[in-house]
Amino acid sequence: MQCECNVVVRLEEGLHARPAAQVAKLAKRYAAAVEIAKGERVANAKSTVQLMLLAVKEGEAILIRADGDDAETAVAGLADLVSGGAGAPQDRPAAAPVAAPPPAAAPPTDGALHGVPASPGVALGPAFVLLPEHVAPPEHAVPPAAAEAEFDRFTAAAARVAAMLDEAMARLDGNSAGDRSEREVLQALQDLAGDVELADGVRTAIHGGQNAARATLHVGAELAGRLAAMDDAYLRARAEDMQGVTRRIADTLMGVAETGLHQIAEPSVLVAADLSALDFARLPSGRLLGLVTTGGSASSHVAIIARSLGIPAVVGIAADPPALRGVRRIAVDGGQGRVLLDPDADAEQAFRLRIAQAAADRERLAQFVRIEPRTRGGRLIEVAANIGGPQDVPAALANGAWGVGLFRTEFLFMRGRAVPDEAAQAACYAEVLRACAPHPVVIRTADIGGDKPLPGLGIETESNPFLGWRGIRLCLDRHDIFKPQLRALLRAATAGRLRIMFPMVADESEIHAARALLRAAEAELREERITFGTPEVGIMVETPAAALCAGTLARHVDFFSIGTNDLTQYVMAADRTNRRLAHLQRADHPAVLRAIELTCQAARDAGIWVGVCGEAAGDPALIPVLLRLGVTELSMSPPLIPQAKKLVTEQD
Ligand code: PEP
Ligand code: MG
């Protein structure tokens, strides 16, 4: 029996990866052959990959066609799904890895490798090297008579990879948001491992004479290439998934064992090319002594996360993967950016002494954890914490944080496959506010863009993302993202002392537009009889324009928080992720200090408070300077707080 029906796709973001996977899953339940056509192009509805390559957007018409005994039920079920019926999936993007600059060759001079100091402290321990070696597939050809048996080997390997992903999903307890998002990632990979387009391509390549491993890599590269050429960043990001899955199937066929972060069995120093926020989220806790990467820079997010976890880290070391793979032990000096591979007995001893010294220092600083941070003159300086979500609050409080001075909410958005909805955001913000009460919490609205892209939002590739559509600029154009966040913040404001902060402000009009939207959100909540609070409203001063016009901007806000990471990169015209320019990324450069001074002067004149939430806030050399300029709040990675409090007590 044949049946067909035209339907308009009503899924947000169209037939993206998750909805495509759900359509394919449903289609596979029917015996009928099912196709989905968009114009002239037709996809097998049982293949996630073919559906993704069809690139159907929300609002576009498609034809669903089925042929088989249950054709009618198949068409009805799929039409219901894609038109937003009961079973309709909600799809949202996953985190994109932070782009790393290519390593440059800089020969070590003292037997040590040198990189960018990214997170202070010293570490020594066994090396866990996560630099997978890509084994070349065998060359041998497969004769036609052996082709089906060879294809069976592929099928078995793909099934083994799917089973391995199943086991990984079973290990998650499923209760936390992190587990749920990881499960979605693993599920998406599993869908690709079992995809019919992949299997058909491999079968054809094997019948053309290729062995299974070569055919898998060949077809994987071809499909990844097609995904990478899509005009949608989220689907382009799936190219990496495809490459990863086919590489694993090929490795299984070749008997190459897998290396993954979950295999870190004992406390180790991790060596990797780069780590995304998602990788960090998956790390078994307490097993990371130190971190060394070949990519990244001091203000890239891998460095920020390492600092917030108190893990000594050196990024951007100049070393080839083969030189790192055989290493058994590593010593890391995160403050000086030095890394020793397989240190000799003397070097090991020296590092042990320094680790003991650091522990003694921590002990000495423990007395400052609970003090009220006042200068000798009695001025209260709020020494607060930078966080990426509620999971960071216990460490912040344990270190004596005076609340939160920067909650980077885009990390929350990047953690899962889905941008959290208004209710989930409100619950999360309220949790942080309650935990920090009576201290204040500065929650920054999503700072998407720059080195924190969020695929799937239809953000075009920009030639200069740091000067592009990011922060408040993006939010003011995307009320679908901004408004739910503002409503969630207002709803959460009843749970504690909330301060809302807008990032990347360059012009007064942006403050007016953001405040207008905030008022509109208040009006809606009032209308809907939903209780909400009245937060303070401030901005980050991190563009030269904001610093130069701080006097004008100060009239429209309750506070300033200086983002020295971006302010430095823009004042010095030095990309913060480019490790070749690390010498220019100095917040203590006279030009940057002048911009900070202008901002503090404007705040003082307008009678508003000014804080610093960039990395300079935790820098012992800069804290006295910032306090002299009139800063009354310093927000930093939690492990730096006790030392900053001590320094505050030593200033006039
Ligand atoms: C900054 O730019 O200094 C800042 C604190 O924000 P982020 O590092 O998240 O860009
Ligand atoms: Mg910034």
Side-chain angles (χ1 to χ4, degrees):
M1 181 211 280
Q2 282 193 345
C3 180
E4 61 181 44
C5 141
N6 282 300
V7 54
V8 173
V9 173
R10 288 286 169 227
L11 301 172
E12 226 178 316
E13 307 283 353
L15 281 193
H16 256 282
R18 286 303 298 149
Q22 301 227 2
V23 168
K25 196 169 164 195
L26 180 59
K28 281 184 201 161
R29 286 204 204 133
Y30 305 109
V34 194
E35 288 176 343
I36 289 186
K38 177 181 133 180
E40 300 285 286
R41 296 171 52 223
V42 181
N44 176 348
K46 298 183 182 183
S47 162
T48 309
V49 176
Q50 283 196 19
L51 289 172
M52 284 198 290
L53 289 169
L54 211 51
V56 179
K57 303 221 164 39
E58 186 189 1
E60 284 185 338
I62 56 169
L63 175 74
I64 304 173
R65 196 165 39 216
D67 188 355
D69 285 350
D70 53 359
E72 207 172 318
T73 351
V75 170
L78 288 166
D80 182 56
L81 180 59
V82 300
S83 59
Q90 297 295 311
D91 188 39
R92 285 290 186 194
V98 173
T109 51
D110 58 356
L113 290 171
H114 290 262
V116 179
S119 177
V122 276
L124 172 71
F128 186 91
V129 183
L130 189 72
L131 294 166
E133 198 169 3
H134 285 175
V135 176
E139 302 267 342
H140 71 264
V142 171
E148 271 311 298
E150 186 71 355
F151 179 65
D152 288 347
R153 287 185 62 235
F154 162 81
T155 314
R160 271 211 294 287
V161 171
M164 181 268 289
L165 290 162
D166 246 345
E167 282 164 26
M169 282 188 269
R171 278 197 297 271
L172 304 169
D173 69 15
N175 292 331
S176 69
D179 275 5
R180 279 196 297 279
S181 64
E182 184 169 351
R183 171 162 297 149
E184 284 180 28
V185 173
L186 296 172
Q187 182 63 60
L189 295 177
Q190 201 182 48
D191 291 340
L192 294 182
D195 193 80
V196 294
E197 175 78 354
L198 173 64
D200 286 352
V202 171
R203 176 182 245 139
T204 308
I206 291 174
H207 278 275
Q210 293 186 26
N211 62 65
R214 187 164 284 275
T216 304
L217 290 174
H218 170 83
V219 176
E222 195 259 327
L223 291 174
R226 282 165 67 192
L227 285 165
M230 306 286 284
D231 69 351
D232 179 292
Y234 185 32
L235 291 177
R236 279 203 298 274
R238 303 283 68 74
E240 253 180 57
D241 291 350
M242 177 54 85
Q243 240 151 358
V245 161
T246 46
R247 164 53 64 185
R248 188 83 283 279
I249 297 173
D251 281 351
T252 305
L253 282 160
M254 295 185 285
V256 178
E258 193 208 4
T259 326
L261 285 176
H262 62 280
Q263 290 170 324
I264 303 187
E266 58 178 338
S268 308
V269 176
L270 174 62
V271 182
D274 205 351
L275 285 184
S276 66
L278 192 62
D279 292 329
F280 265 108
R282 287 184 197 156
L283 264 174
S285 64
R287 308 247 174 97
L288 203 55
L289 296 174
L291 175 66
V292 176
T293 67
T294 53
S297 81
S299 53
S300 65
H301 283 89
V302 61
I304 289 173
I305 296 173
R307 275 193 292 274
S308 73
L309 296 174
I311 294 164
V314 176
V315 301
I317 59 156
D320 289 334
L324 296 166
R325 280 202 191 100
V327 171
R328 294 182 50 241
R329 287 182 67 76
I330 297 201
V332 182
D333 180 336
Q336 291 186 1
R338 280 177 80 236
V339 176
L340 288 173
L341 308 180
D342 288 323
D344 61 23
D346 288 349
E348 285 239 359
Q349 181 57 13
F351 265 82
R352 277 205 194 91
L353 281 175
R354 292 184 59 198
I355 290 168
Q357 180 66 43
D361 286 350
R362 268 200 305 279
E363 190 93 344
R364 212 169 21 82
L365 287 171
Q367 58 177 302
F368 294 96
V369 166
R370 297 283 147 235
I371 64 154
E372 205 173 79
R374 288 190 184 275
T375 60
R376 281 204 286 249
R379 196 158 44 113
L380 175 73
I381 305 297
E382 297 182 11
V383 181
N386 289 354
I387 65 165
Q391 74 283 354
D392 297 336
V393 173
L397 297 179
N399 279 288
W402 196 272
V404 168
L406 171 62
F407 178 169
R408 290 181 165 98
T409 57
E410 61 281 357
F411 283 3
L412 196 70
F413 288 21
M414 290 163 81
R415 265 185 109 79
R417 290 235 144 185
V419 170
D421 63 16
E422 180 185 321
Q425 285 187 59
C428 165
Y429 304 148
E431 184 182 337
V432 174
L433 281 157
R434 262 193 302 274
C436 293
H439 299 313
V441 174
V442 180
I443 304 189
R444 178 173 76 182
T445 56
D447 186 16
I448 299 160
D451 66 336
K452 293 169 281 184
L454 197 58
L457 299 181
I459 305 174
E460 286 154 28
T461 308
E462 297 176 305
S463 55
N464 209 332
F466 274 122
L467 300 183
W469 197 44
R470 62 170 292 202
I472 195 71
R473 305 165 181 187
L474 184 145
C475 279
L476 287 175
D477 290 339
R478 289 295 300 262
H479 290 191
D480 57 324
I481 299 168
F482 200 26
K483 186 68 123 16
Q485 183 167 38
L486 293 176
R487 285 175 52 107
L489 285 165
L490 289 166
R491 285 169 60 179
T494 54
R497 278 180 66 194
L498 174 64
R499 297 165 165 173
I500 296 180
M501 177 160 77
F502 302 125
M504 276 300 292
V505 169
D507 185 69
E508 185 187 339
S509 61
E510 291 160 342
I511 304 178
H512 297 312
R515 275 192 172 278
L517 207 61
L518 193 62
R519 280 195 300 275
E522 281 174 356
E524 282 175 14
L525 293 172
R526 202 172 290 116
E527 178 91 356
E528 293 162 30
R529 297 182 185 286
I530 297 174
T531 331
F532 62 92
T534 313
E536 280 182 51
V537 176
I539 58 165
M540 294 209 51
V541 175
E542 54 184 343
T543 65
L548 291 170
C549 293
T552 312
L553 305 185
R555 289 202 289 273
H556 309 291
V557 292
D558 301 315
F559 67 91
F560 284 156
S561 182
I562 304 175
T564 46
N565 306 338
D566 276 317
L567 186 61
T568 305
Q569 85 159 339
Y570 295 129
V571 167
M572 302 304 292
D575 179 344
R576 63 192 266 186
T577 64
N578 188 336
R579 71 181 186 85
R580 289 186 184 86
L581 305 179
H583 62 290
L584 291 174
Q585 284 144 17
R586 298 195 59 112
D588 61 352
H589 189 281
V592 182
L593 290 178
R594 180 77 185 115
I596 296 173
E597 190 180 13
L598 283 174
T599 308
C600 291
Q601 178 71 49
R604 193 163 43 246
D605 292 348
I608 62 171
W609 65 266
V610 57
V612 175
C613 63
E615 297 305 313
D619 182 343
L622 277 175
I623 288 174
V625 180
L626 296 173
L627 297 194
R628 267 200 304 280
L629 290 173
V631 165
T632 59
E633 187 236 31
L634 296 166
S635 190
M636 64 200 70
S637 305
L640 300 177
I641 290 173
Q643 176 179 253
K645 281 178 136 181
K646 174 177 182 282
L647 278 166
V648 165
T649 63
E650 292 163 359
Q651 311 307 309
D652 292 327

